[in-house]
Amino acid sequence: MADVYPNESTSNGTAAPGVTTGAIRGSHKVHHHTESGLRVPARRIELSNGEHLDVYDTSGPYTDENAEIDVHAGIPPLRRGWTDGREHRTQLEWARQGVITREMEYIATREDVSAEFVRSEVAAGRAVIPANRRHPETEPMIIGKNFLVKVNANIGNSAVTSSVEEEVEKMVWASRWGADTIMDLSTGSRIHETREAILRNSPVPIGTVPIYQAMEKVGDPAELTWETYRDTVIEQCEQGVDYMTVHAGVLLRYVPMTAQRVTGIVSRGGSIMAAWCLAHHRESFLYEHFSELCEILRSYDVTFSLGDGLRPGSIADANDRAQFAELETLGELTHIAREHGVQVMIEGPGHVPMHKIAENVRREEELCGEAPFYTLGPLATDIAPAYDHITSAIGAAEIGRAGTAMLCYVTPKEHLGLPNRDDVKAGVIAYKIAAHSADLAKGHPRAQERDDALSKARFEFRWNDQFNLSLDPDTARAYHDETLPAEPAKTAHFCSMCGPKFCSMKITQDVRDYANRHGLTSVEAIEAGMREKSEEFTSSGGRVYLPVAE
Amino acid sequence: MADVYPNESTSNGTAAPGVTTGAIRGSHKVHHHTESGLRVPARRIELSNGEHLDVYDTSGPYTDENAEIDVHAGIPPLRRGWTDGREHRTQLEWARQGVITREMEYIATREDVSAEFVRSEVAAGRAVIPANRRHPETEPMIIGKNFLVKVNANIGNSAVTSSVEEEVEKMVWASRWGADTIMDLSTGSRIHETREAILRNSPVPIGTVPIYQAMEKVGDPAELTWETYRDTVIEQCEQGVDYMTVHAGVLLRYVPMTAQRVTGIVSRGGSIMAAWCLAHHRESFLYEHFSELCEILRSYDVTFSLGDGLRPGSIADANDRAQFAELETLGELTHIAREHGVQVMIEGPGHVPMHKIAENVRREEELCGEAPFYTLGPLATDIAPAYDHITSAIGAAEIGRAGTAMLCYVTPKEHLGLPNRDDVKAGVIAYKIAAHSADLAKGHPRAQERDDALSKARFEFRWNDQFNLSLDPDTARAYHDETLPAEPAKTAHFCSMCGPKFCSMKITQDVRDYANRHGLTSVEAIEAGMREKSEEFTSSGGRVYLPVAE
């Protein structure tokens, strides 16, 4: 990926207040209004032909030229007061009662569907709205297979490296490029402080894996207790975490199933719970106290992300007995959570060869009552460390197409190191590509608009429009500059690949101009017309490789 | 992608003789011997546990420490004399006669299948061996859906930029990283000279699009004649080009079908032929003289790559009337070529959303008698210029899985500029990932060996083995160095993501060690054993996050 750094003149914005701000190149923030007047953000890309395209915007106030950003004060609490005077219920409970919440209304406008459709999908458990009532800063979004496929970006410091400011900037940076949710996977010191800073500044839902912090408190998995874990979950609910990964499906009897795997247990949370079960030879306290956990999450409307602690860590272990045994238990827990009125999504693998991907979605939907599936990749092969954003984008596009609702990104540093700023961007862009490819494959009614607008711009040699309509205008422009730096090249009627004489798009322009000149619309008419006027066309044959302008 | 430049200490080798030489890090060239004693190259990756893995090797003498490289003299003519005393026939004709050629024998060892199987696939037209008898430098390889999926890399200067030396180095560089064939798409000046230098130095088959050079000779498509084209084809056959893209399927009556497309005609060759047809209002001279063309290619055993001149250039145009009309004509031409004893493969798109990809393979196999399909990507979306190696790797993996035999790479510069050294590597690696993902999905008997070896190394914390088994050892190692530079980290029993206390792989190691200590093999035995010895395990619980070494 091209290295890009904060710079006023580009959509990488300015890093003045410690985080990246400023509009993405070629676009600016606009707001659409819902029936009751809620303001829903969108990113408007203005085109040189007077048209414009509004695209889904996850970047929050950071890309709003009119917003004042103060990382210490946090961003405005958009949802404060939305539930005033209302009894505390979860989005699932409201939906079941037939009530359309403001969050649903907001999401309907954001996804361009009816509010009633949003409500019905949430009521059915096919979609979740991760929105802890103590995280009013979040701009409501929905995760479900009948909506746009979403992308999650993981950030988080570790015992080995990184700082609070870095993590907040990673959150801002990841959502700038399109991350729909962020998971804070911090371990090591300052977990609470880091999470607080991220939550107060985050316009997207924040997910966590509470057991990491619980581990920090006790030091060894064998020392973990339900009480420590419970108190950690409450602490995080109070802070405003929107969804939590809980590895309650790792049962004692499943652990031996992993002993003969090529890569055993690769999930951190899964391995911690396995260690606890073995050390005490007792059933998982997460499984045994699951109903209590449901009551805690329900009171904040925190969404469960039931973790796949036994997910395969290699192609060899994909779709094995351990993985699917745990999935059955996740199905059982899904129904318990729903009885408690708690929203649920299910986490999935991991490392899976392409031909075994669809089965994961089929089983998950069957066992977990179509709860939104949220997968890590999967990587379609193990042989390309340093390129796992690509090995996994292949699997992610495939599993998204099969019905996965949210894709957890993988960066080029997966398996090797901690992602830096550029790795985070590379991972997010690769996953926006996978998610959009899946939206197209699923026939999402409006997904193709952006492809068509960009291809039309490309065909008409509107270079700047092509750059601005892309997922990364800066890098697209920078690559074009490498071969044809001059500004006139941005309006040239040929491109650097073939040069002026070989431009394949020109000839079509000419076929089309020819048809227009003679008012020919149907294919047949054009064909007939060309037959008559072939001499005339011959005489204009010399025009074939000259600029249209002439 | 990480920038990598020639450097003695890395697998980027030395650029001393003007091209990159030296073994790829962690591996060295070995030769396997066929029954009759032909020496077939492989790349041996030595592992720290005493094992090794031999992988398919496309890099030729450049990675052989014992080879002397002289770009001006060219590489040794491996196949010189292989057909001495034999009548001139094509591989297809020999195969039909039941004769196993040396090329087939060589390929059988290279692909680890029987020579008879190679012969039968070639005889059926399901596979081709692109090997012009005037290109003796080529190491025989096969393209067919029942063999490993292959990758082609396009290089070539253009009117706008680049030099002969650069193009030869791009060929060496691309095949170093795994390109199975190279297409020289040079336009502009010095086409003949550039191609000669590439052919004499290339261990992989070279493909071209003769109409580009024919265009250089006449300057305007309207001026093209069959005679000019024919003489250009003969000139290139004489030089040793192994396969040629011929856009003989672009018929006059198909051109109007493109007028209402979003991106019209995007193939250079296709647009040139369309321009010719319109200018003269006559049927394509390539179509009308196709039998003569077959006789020319037959006499050198040059393989046809029937070009898809009307391939879709955008998601909107995928699988449209123009595209499939041309494919029908390519099917007709395939059968004519086979009657002449000429080998044939078929070129495919382009830009296609995931759900429309499989249909392309199904129709191609049906219309073209299962002739090997050779596709450009396809890109699964149009919205990510600067990342089209990724948008297209997604489509390539999908179409490879569906039966495409060779994938033409796309670099990050697609649509924007000309690829440089790093772009070529990025494109090749992305496509090796797509091809290997397809091999796994197709259940290729030996494809998973490398995944398993790498995952086993990863699980056992054999970091250097993990790097060396990857597609790009330098970048994998460089990324690990960014977080944990010290050499001891390369043997550390944890990784930089979680740090020593959170290593998920350690716990499985412990489950496994525990099982071994007690001689427990079956899952049931392990489970039972753990029950008995749970106290003992508890006492050893403290070991959970300590290095195995201890």
Side-chain angles (χ1 to χ4, degrees):
Chain A
M1 301 309 136
D3 288 337
V4 281
Y5 298 104
N7 169 339
E8 288 216 356
S9 72
T10 77
S11 77
N12 292 297
T14 66
V19 295
T20 303
T21 58
I24 289 178
R25 184 202 288 269
S27 68
H28 60 93
K29 175 97 58 185
V30 294
H31 290 87
H32 297 152
H33 293 76
T34 68
E35 279 188 10
S36 78
L38 299 175
R39 296 172 73 240
V40 180
R43 187 163 74 83
R44 176 159 295 175
I45 301 169
E46 300 285 359
L47 306 180
S48 62
N49 63 1
E51 299 172 2
H52 68 260
L53 185 75
D54 288 353
V55 298
Y56 194 102
D57 177 25
T58 58
S59 61
Y62 302 97
T63 54
D64 188 341
E65 301 294 0
N66 308 316
E68 294 247 324
I69 301 299
D70 174 354
V71 181
H72 306 290
I75 61 177
L78 170 71
R79 294 165 55 235
R80 180 148 298 155
W82 279 17
T83 52
D84 287 358
R86 271 184 176 172
E87 203 182 323
H88 276 183
R89 287 216 165 82
T90 65
Q91 295 291 331
L92 174 57
E93 290 170 317
W94 286 121
R96 283 174 177 165
Q97 293 212 330
V99 175
I100 291 172
T101 63
R102 290 194 188 173
E103 285 81 1
M104 298 173 197
E105 179 188 339
Y106 186 102
I107 287 163
T109 299
R110 203 170 190 185
E111 297 260 349
D112 195 27
V113 295
S114 76
E116 169 52 27
F117 180 70
V118 173
R119 186 205 61 76
S120 64
E121 288 294 294
V122 172
R126 261 195 307 274
V128 296
I129 299 174
N132 182 331
R133 65 174 57 88
R134 291 191 187 270
H135 184 207
E137 298 87 353
T138 190
E139 295 174 344
M141 55 80 72
I142 195 163
I143 301 167
K145 67 176 175 180
N146 293 323
F147 299 91
L148 290 165
V149 174
K150 304 305 190 294
V151 171
N152 171 74
N154 292 335
I155 61 175
N157 62 344
S158 91
V160 183
T161 168
S162 90
S163 80
V164 173
E165 293 66 24
E166 280 173 40
E167 297 312 315
V168 173
E169 167 58 7
K170 274 185 197 167
M171 174 277 291
V172 172
W173 183 243
S175 56
R176 176 182 189 83
W177 294 112
D180 295 281
T181 75
I182 298 285
M183 286 196 81
D184 173 17
L185 304 185
S186 295
T187 58
S189 57
R190 293 175 293 114
I191 289 185
H192 186 99
E193 175 192 0
T194 302
R195 190 172 51 234
E196 183 64 23
I198 291 171
L199 279 162
R200 300 289 75 81
N201 289 284
S202 178
V204 300
I206 298 298
T208 61
V209 186
I211 205 158
Y212 296 170
Q213 185 178 10
M215 267 291 291
E216 289 298 328
K217 295 177 179 176
V218 299
D220 185 294
E223 304 304 320
L224 280 171
T225 63
W226 157 246
E227 291 70 22
T228 313
Y229 183 83
R230 178 198 58 204
D231 296 347
T232 305
V233 167
I234 293 171
E235 170 190 343
Q236 298 195 8
C237 286
E238 284 288 325
Q239 271 188 301
V241 170
D242 301 288
Y243 65 91
M244 296 182 184
T245 296
V246 179
H247 298 96
V250 179
L251 303 187
L252 176 62
R253 65 178 183 278
Y254 298 158
V255 179
M257 296 179 186
T258 67
Q260 275 134 20
R261 277 178 159 186
V262 167
T263 49
I265 300 175
V266 295
S267 151
R268 283 193 240 173
S271 65
I272 291 166
M273 289 314 298
W276 188 92
C277 292
L278 293 180
H280 301 281
H281 198 72
R282 275 190 47 201
E283 195 47 271
S284 160
F285 60 80
L286 293 177
Y287 181 78
E288 296 192 327
H289 292 272
F290 192 71
S291 289
E292 290 171 68
L293 205 49
C294 289
E295 279 313 303
I296 296 167
L297 267 59
R298 182 195 164 284
S299 62
Y300 297 86
D301 196 4
V302 169
T303 300
F304 271 115
S305 185
L306 295 179
D308 54 336
L310 302 183
R311 67 170 174 267
S314 58
I315 291 299
D317 297 340
N319 294 19
D320 73 352
R321 190 180 155 203
Q323 184 195 334
F324 287 144
E326 179 187 32
L327 186 58
E328 275 182 39
T329 301
L330 297 187
E332 174 194 339
L333 297 172
T334 298
H335 299 297
I336 294 171
R338 286 177 176 176
E339 284 162 20
H340 287 269
V342 184
Q343 304 188 89
V344 184
M345 55 184 172
I346 306 294
E347 296 185 7
H351 291 240
V352 185
M354 292 178 82
H355 63 299
K356 293 186 177 179
I357 285 177
E359 183 182 2
N360 280 271
V361 180
R362 194 181 53 68
R363 288 197 186 220
E364 186 275 342
E365 292 186 341
E366 184 182 309
L367 293 168
C368 306
E370 292 187 286
F373 204 22
Y374 168 31
T375 63
L376 177 62
L379 283 66
T381 171
D382 304 340
I383 70 169
Y387 299 85
D388 281 332
H389 58 309
I390 299 177
T391 62
S392 66
I394 289 170
E398 181 71 14
I399 206 163
R401 175 190 173 193
T404 292
M406 183 157 76
L407 307 169
C408 181
Y409 89 162
V410 169
T411 77
K413 290 280 173 64
E414 183 76 11
H415 299 119
L416 299 171
L418 285 171
N420 60 26
R421 174 185 182 80
D422 293 332
D423 297 318
V424 166
K425 181 178 178 180
V428 171
I429 298 285
Y431 272 67
K432 294 301 283 185
I433 289 169
H436 186 74
S437 298
D439 288 333
L440 289 174
K442 286 162 66 178
H444 186 286
R446 296 190 47 195
Q448 202 180 308
E449 284 179 3
R450 191 169 179 176
D451 297 77
D452 294 350
L454 189 146
S455 290
K456 197 158 174 291
R458 176 176 285 154
F459 184 73
E460 293 168 4
F461 301 102
R462 286 184 276 115
W463 289 97
N464 290 319
D465 289 349
Q466 183 187 164
F467 305 150
N468 295 341
L469 285 162
S470 75
L471 290 176
D472 180 1
D474 303 302
T475 306
R477 187 184 178 92
Y479 283 2
H480 189 260
D481 287 347
E482 276 184 41
T483 312
L484 293 172
E487 193 51 39
K490 306 303 183 235
T491 53
H493 283 271
F494 62 85
C495 51
S496 48
M497 287 75 79
C498 315
K501 279 180 59 183
F502 273 83
C503 181
S504 60
M505 295 206 175
K506 274 292 298 102
I507 170 67
T508 315
Q509 203 87 299
D510 292 326
V511 178
R512 205 176 275 182
D513 296 346
Y514 172 84
N516 295 339
R517 275 203 309 284
H518 302 92
L520 306 173
T521 52
S522 77
V523 166
E524 294 64 26
I526 296 168
E527 195 172 355
M530 289 191 313
R531 198 155 30 244
E532 295 163 24
K533 320 254 178 138
S534 59
E535 290 68 24
E536 176 187 329
F537 195 88
T538 313
S539 69
S540 74
R543 279 189 58 265
V544 165
Y545 290 99
L546 298 181
V548 165
E550 188 180 305
Chain B
M1 304 302 138
D3 288 337
V4 281
Y5 299 103
N7 169 338
E8 288 214 356
S9 72
T10 76
S11 78
N12 293 298
T14 65
V19 296
T20 303
T21 58
I24 290 178
R25 186 201 286 269
S27 68
H28 60 92
K29 175 97 58 186
V30 294
H31 289 88
H32 297 152
H33 293 75
T34 68
E35 279 188 7
S36 78
L38 299 176
R39 296 172 74 240
V40 180
R43 188 163 73 83
R44 176 159 295 175
I45 301 167
E46 301 284 359
L47 306 181
S48 62
N49 63 1
E51 298 171 3
H52 68 260
L53 184 75
D54 288 352
V55 297
Y56 193 102
D57 177 26
T58 58
S59 60
Y62 302 97
T63 54
D64 188 342
E65 303 293 1
N66 307 318
E68 294 247 324
I69 302 299
D70 175 352
V71 181
H72 306 290
I75 60 176
L78 171 70
R79 294 164 56 233
R80 179 149 299 156
W82 280 18
T83 53
D84 287 358
R86 272 185 177 172
E87 200 182 327
H88 275 183
R89 287 216 165 82
T90 65
Q91 295 291 330
L92 174 57
E93 290 170 317
W94 286 121
R96 285 174 177 165
Q97 293 211 331
V99 175
I100 291 172
T101 63
R102 290 194 189 175
E103 286 81 2
M104 297 174 197
E105 179 187 339
Y106 186 101
I107 286 163
T109 298
R110 203 170 190 184
E111 298 260 349
D112 196 26
V113 296
S114 77
E116 169 52 26
F117 180 70
V118 173
R119 186 204 62 75
S120 63
E121 289 294 293
V122 172
R126 260 194 307 274
V128 297
I129 299 174
N132 181 331
R133 64 173 58 89
R134 291 192 187 268
H135 184 207
E137 298 87 354
T138 190
E139 296 174 343
M141 55 79 72
I142 194 163
I143 301 167
K145 68 176 175 180
N146 294 322
F147 299 92
L148 289 165
V149 174
K150 304 305 190 295
V151 171
N152 171 74
N154 292 336
I155 59 174
N157 61 346
S158 89
V160 182
T161 168
S162 93
S163 80
V164 174
E165 294 66 24
E166 281 173 38
E167 298 312 315
V168 174
E169 167 58 7
K170 274 185 196 166
M171 176 276 291
V172 171
W173 184 243
S175 55
R176 176 184 189 83
W177 295 111
D180 295 281
T181 75
I182 298 286
M183 286 196 81
D184 172 17
L185 304 185
S186 294
T187 58
S189 58
R190 292 176 292 115
I191 289 185
H192 185 100
E193 174 193 359
T194 302
R195 190 171 52 233
E196 183 64 23
I198 291 172
L199 279 162
R200 300 290 73 82
N201 288 284
S202 178
V204 300
I206 298 298
T208 60
V209 186
I211 205 157
Y212 296 170
Q213 185 177 9
M215 266 292 289
E216 289 299 328
K217 294 177 180 176
V218 299
D220 186 297
E223 304 304 320
L224 280 171
T225 63
W226 157 246
E227 291 70 23
T228 312
Y229 182 82
R230 178 198 59 202
D231 296 347
T232 305
V233 166
I234 292 171
E235 170 190 343
Q236 298 195 9
C237 286
E238 284 288 326
Q239 272 187 302
V241 170
D242 300 289
Y243 66 90
M244 296 182 183
T245 296
V246 178
H247 298 96
V250 179
L251 303 188
L252 176 61
R253 65 178 182 276
Y254 298 159
V255 179
M257 296 178 186
T258 67
Q260 275 133 21
R261 278 178 156 185
V262 167
T263 49
I265 301 175
V266 295
S267 151
R268 283 191 240 172
S271 64
I272 291 166
M273 288 314 298
W276 189 92
C277 291
L278 294 181
H280 300 280
H281 199 72
R282 276 190 46 201
E283 194 48 273
S284 159
F285 61 80
L286 293 177
Y287 180 78
E288 296 193 327
H289 292 271
F290 192 71
S291 288
E292 289 171 68
L293 204 50
C294 289
E295 280 313 304
I296 297 168
L297 267 61
R298 182 196 165 286
S299 63
Y300 297 87
D301 196 4
V302 169
T303 301
F304 270 115
S305 185
L306 296 179
D308 55 335
L310 302 183
R311 68 170 175 269
S314 59
I315 292 298
D317 298 340
N319 295 17
D320 72 354
R321 190 180 155 203
Q323 183 195 335
F324 287 144
E326 179 186 33
L327 186 57
E328 275 182 39
T329 301
L330 297 187
E332 174 195 337
L333 297 172
T334 298
H335 298 298
I336 294 171
R338 286 178 176 175
E339 283 163 20
H340 286 269
V342 184
Q343 303 187 89
V344 184
M345 55 184 171
I346 306 295
E347 296 185 7
H351 292 240
V352 185
M354 292 177 82
H355 64 299
K356 293 187 177 178
I357 285 177
E359 184 182 1
N360 280 270
V361 180
R362 194 180 52 67
R363 287 197 187 221
E364 187 274 342
E365 293 186 340
E366 185 182 308
L367 293 168
C368 306
E370 293 187 285
F373 204 22
Y374 168 31
T375 63
L376 176 63
L379 284 66
T381 171
D382 304 339
I383 70 170
Y387 299 85
D388 281 333
H389 58 308
I390 299 177
T391 62
S392 66
I394 290 170
E398 181 72 14
I399 206 162
R401 175 190 174 194
T404 291
M406 183 156 77
L407 307 170
C408 181
Y409 88 163
V410 169
T411 77
K413 291 281 173 64
E414 184 75 10
H415 298 120
L416 299 171
L418 285 170
N420 60 26
R421 174 186 183 81
D422 293 332
D423 298 318
V424 167
K425 180 177 178 181
V428 171
I429 299 284
Y431 272 68
K432 295 301 282 185
I433 289 169
H436 186 75
S437 299
D439 288 333
L440 289 173
K442 286 162 66 179
H444 185 286
R446 296 191 46 196
Q448 203 181 308
E449 284 178 5
R450 191 169 179 177
D451 297 77
D452 293 351
L454 190 147
S455 290
K456 197 159 177 291
R458 176 177 285 156
F459 185 72
E460 292 168 3
F461 301 103
R462 288 184 275 115
W463 290 97
N464 290 318
D465 289 349
Q466 184 187 164
F467 305 149
N468 296 340
L469 285 161
S470 74
L471 290 176
D472 180 1
D474 303 302
T475 306
R477 188 184 177 91
Y479 283 2
H480 188 258
D481 287 347
E482 275 183 43
T483 313
L484 293 172
E487 193 51 39
K490 307 305 182 227
T491 53
H493 283 271
F494 63 87
C495 50
S496 49
M497 287 75 79
C498 317
K501 280 180 59 183
F502 273 83
C503 181
S504 60
M505 294 203 176
K506 274 294 295 102
I507 171 65
T508 315
Q509 203 87 300
D510 291 327
V511 178
R512 204 177 273 182
D513 296 346
Y514 172 84
N516 295 338
R517 275 203 309 283
H518 302 93
L520 306 173
T521 52
S522 78
V523 167
E524 294 64 27
I526 297 168
E527 196 171 355
M530 289 192 313
R531 198 153 32 243
E532 296 162 21
K533 319 259 176 130
S534 60
E535 291 70 20
E536 176 186 328
F537 195 89
T538 312
S539 68
S540 75
R543 280 188 58 266
V544 164
Y545 290 99
L546 298 180
V548 165
E550 186 179 307

